[in-house]
Every structure is written in structure tokens, then in C-alpha cells.
Amino acid sequence: MTADFKIDFNFFPNPVSKNLSISCEQMGNYQISVIDLTGRLVLQKQFYGQDFNLNTESLEAGVYSLKLEGSNESVRDPLPRSLYQQSPLR
């Protein structure tokens, strides 16, 4: 039986317009997924480490879910967190 462990992570700024900084408590292999309100995966990146900058300029303004998973299938943040994308100032 495999236990699920929550990944401790923070992200900022929220709302975001260009780059989202993600900071995890532990070093590891991670996959970050951005999902729109219809449940469609709109952006996904993999990274190794504790810190990562995600370029969000390709996202339209709106509300998204942010999901972070570790390389071990038993390690995931069980509840996606809300991310607010705002239009970049031009």
C-alpha cells in the first residue's frame, strides 16, 4: 500500500502576468501542470530542484488550477491551487 504525501510548495506572485516563481520545500524531480476551468491542460513543465520560474505569458487572462507532482507517484499535492493570470501591461 502506497501512502500519499503532500508536497510543500509556494508560488508567487498571484495574480501573475509573466513569470511565476515556484519554491518547493525539498529537492526533487517535479512536474508542474496548469489546468484551465474546463479541465484542459494548457501548460506543463518538468524541473529538477527546489525552485523554478514558469513563464506564463502564453496563458490568456483567467483563473487556472496549478498542480505539482513529484517523480514518485505517491507524492503529490492532492488539491490543485488557484492561479490568476492577468493581462500583461503593455
Side-chain angles (χ1 to χ4, degrees), residues 40 46 61 85 87:
R40 185 176 59 102
Q46 295 181 347
Q85 173 72 14
S87 298

Side-chain angles (χ1 to χ4, degrees), residues 23-75:
S23 179
C24 302
E25 187 174 282
Q26 295 184 355
M27 188 78 104
N29 288 308
Y30 297 101
Q31 178 174 282
I32 188 80
S33 302
V34 179
I35 302 155
D36 70 13
L37 291 178
T38 67
R40 185 176 59 102
L41 177 67
V42 293
L43 184 61
Q44 189 172 62
K45 297 288 182 182
Q46 295 181 347
F47 68 97
Y48 176 79
Q50 284 181 278
D51 301 310
F52 182 70
N53 287 315
L54 181 67
N55 184 314
T56 62
E57 288 182 289
S58 65
L59 298 177
E60 293 184 24
V63 179
Y64 297 87
S65 291
L66 189 65
K67 181 177 176 185
L68 184 70
E69 295 181 87
S71 57
N72 179 347
E73 290 179 295
S74 67
V75 180

